[in-house]
Amino acid sequence: MTKLSFGSHPFLLGFEQLERLVERTAKSGEGYPPYNIEAVTENAYRITLAVAGFREEDLAITIEDRQLVIRGRVSDGENGQERVFLHRGIASRAFQRSFVLADGVDVAGAHMEHGLLHIDLRRQVPETVVQTIRIGQRKG
């Protein structure tokens, strides 16, 4: 039995990178911090991460090679003082969470509210272009 992959299907021309993209996203399966992805409209999405205990300055959001990367690192002490916990049940470990963005999907903004980091995404819908290809004679 022959395994048919995305990149080798004869009707999917130019999609060779699709299989590598699927493999790359499947490898980022850590569960911290928990997150939601919602469709706000047909062309707008929102990623929400639960980042209780993190301040805005503890978080970094970047786009690296069409990949949205959110990093978090909580500083141990405030104003140079070490914190002493009698019980620590709220996870505040460093994390990195990645999401691969399709071409045409851009970050519209980000904000924090009640311990949740919201990242808004928008898909730019390209105009439909019809192009006529002239059939010419081969020279030579």
Side-chain angles (χ1 to χ4, degrees):
M1 179 176 223
T2 304
K3 179 184 174 190
L4 190 61
S5 64
F6 291 120
S8 65
H9 194 281
F11 298 128
L12 297 175
L13 301 175
F15 287 90
E16 295 82 14
Q17 295 181 348
L18 184 58
E19 191 165 12
R20 286 194 302 271
L21 180 66
V22 170
E23 288 175 4
R24 185 170 77 175
T25 55
K27 290 179 182 177
S28 63
E30 183 183 320
Y32 180 78
Y35 65 93
N36 293 335
I37 300 175
E38 62 183 298
V40 178
T41 66
E42 184 178 343
N43 294 309
Y45 309 97
R46 174 174 282 168
I47 299 172
T48 301
L49 285 88
V51 291
F54 288 84
R55 298 173 297 171
E56 288 181 31
E57 49 269 12
D58 297 330
L59 301 168
I61 303 169
T62 58
I63 297 178
E64 305 167 10
D65 190 27
R66 298 305 309 160
Q67 191 164 332
L68 174 66
V69 180
I70 302 107
R71 293 181 179 91
R73 178 175 303 278
V74 174
S75 53
D76 287 331
E78 293 181 27
N79 301 329
Q81 292 186 345
E82 188 71 24
R83 297 169 67 185
V84 178
F85 291 94
L86 301 178
H87 171 76
R88 188 167 192 173
I90 300 172
S92 60
R93 62 183 184 265
F95 70 87
Q96 177 174 312
R97 174 72 71 183
S98 301
F99 301 90
V100 178
L101 301 178
D103 288 337
V105 174
D106 297 311
V107 176
H111 68 280
M112 289 201 33
E113 179 181 38
H114 306 296
L116 300 173
L117 173 64
H118 302 286
I119 302 170
D120 293 314
L121 306 172
R122 291 236 162 59
R123 177 179 30 213
Q124 302 299 324
V125 180
E127 292 182 26
T128 303
V129 177
V130 177
Q131 182 179 7
T132 303
I133 309 300
R134 229 182 89 222
I135 301 172
Q137 293 184 353
R138 191 171 188 198
K139 298 178 183 176

